[in-house]
Amino acid sequence: MEDFSVFGAWVFALALVAFVAVTTVGFIRRARQIKKMQSLMGSDTVSLPGWTEGETVRLLSSAEQPGFYTLRPRFLSRIETIAFHHLKRAVPQHEVLAHVRLLDLFQLTAEGEDEKWLEAFRRIAYLDVSFVVCDGDMVIIAVVDLENPTVAADERLTRLQQAKKHALKTAHVRYISFDPLHPPTEQELRQMVLSPDTLFA
């Protein structure tokens, strides 16, 4: 009887070791899969620091309220639509994306330094650009903004515009802006977008 108890203990110990080994291997494989996916997608994914499960549940429950979201009548305003097609005709072999957040353009390089990371995140969290021009591989070629006359009359908007330009300049992005009511010709716009001499000065 005693031998049977010892045998059972050994079986249990071996089963426990096997379970731990399988679990460890599973975690390692999962970590490798995540790392591989991040390498394929790029390291530009942004996670919000301090995000909790409670906040997620609260957001999901609020999103379920009827009438909480309504569809915009149109994605681009009429003047933005005209500018979009003007830009597409100027660079027909390129992809043009509209209303792109700066967070989708940049990689925040201050990871590991929570305060600096959060400061960099907040600086651009609510800023966007009118259009982004990419090549066939979706590599960013240029950023195009439509000038807004109301910005100059609003101190807060002016500061936000300056912060956006500073961020783009730091990232060495080719930046172009024009008045949509007085746009450059298609040939001029093509030269501005594709010429290597039009990098943000």
Side-chain angles (χ1 to χ4, degrees):
M1 190 70 178
E2 184 178 350
D3 291 341
F4 181 78
S5 299
V6 172
F7 176 76
W10 273 105
V11 170
F12 177 76
L14 288 174
L16 183 61
V17 170
F19 173 77
V20 171
V22 170
T23 304
T24 303
V25 170
F27 278 126
I28 292 174
R29 287 181 177 176
R30 178 62 177 166
R32 287 178 177 174
Q33 289 175 349
I34 293 174
K35 188 175 182 179
K36 182 177 180 180
M37 184 63 70
Q38 288 177 338
S39 66
L40 291 173
M41 296 178 65
S43 58
D44 53 354
T45 53
V46 176
S47 57
L48 296 177
W51 196 257
T52 66
E53 185 177 353
E55 290 171 328
T56 304
V57 172
R58 185 169 63 253
L59 284 175
L60 290 175
S61 62
S62 64
E64 293 172 356
Q65 297 177 11
F68 194 83
Y69 298 106
T70 56
L71 192 64
R72 289 183 177 185
R74 55 187 303 144
F75 181 63
L76 298 178
S77 68
R78 294 190 183 279
I79 197 156
E80 287 174 331
T81 302
I82 293 172
F84 174 82
H85 289 297
H86 184 61
L87 183 55
K88 281 290 293 181
R89 287 192 298 269
V91 287
Q93 304 301 320
H94 291 70
E95 303 294 333
V96 178
L97 310 176
H99 286 318
V100 180
R101 305 178 308 163
L102 292 193
L103 286 176
D104 296 323
L105 299 179
F106 297 148
Q107 301 179 81
L108 298 182
T109 56
E111 287 192 62
E113 303 178 47
D114 292 342
E115 291 186 4
K116 291 184 177 180
W117 192 96
L118 188 58
E119 180 184 353
F121 173 85
R122 287 174 173 169
R123 192 178 299 128
I124 64 173
Y126 302 105
L127 301 179
D128 66 359
V129 294
S130 301
F131 305 109
V132 173
V133 180
C134 299
D135 65 13
D137 290 329
M138 299 307 292
V139 174
I140 299 169
I141 301 299
V143 167
V144 180
D145 252 342
L146 300 182
E147 295 174 0
N148 187 342
T150 62
V151 171
D154 189 309
E155 183 180 351
R156 176 178 172 274
L157 291 178
T158 299
R159 290 200 306 269
L160 289 175
Q161 184 71 7
Q162 290 172 345
K164 176 170 64 175
K165 288 184 176 181
H166 176 74
L168 291 167
K169 181 177 181 180
T170 301
H172 304 289
V173 180
R174 183 176 297 126
Y175 180 79
I176 299 150
S177 65
F178 63 84
D179 182 350
L181 298 178
H182 303 91
T185 66
E186 290 179 15
Q187 183 177 357
E188 291 171 339
L189 188 53
R190 183 182 305 110
Q191 177 71 14
M192 294 165 67
V193 170
L194 301 181
S195 172
D197 298 329
T198 58
L199 284 173
F200 197 116

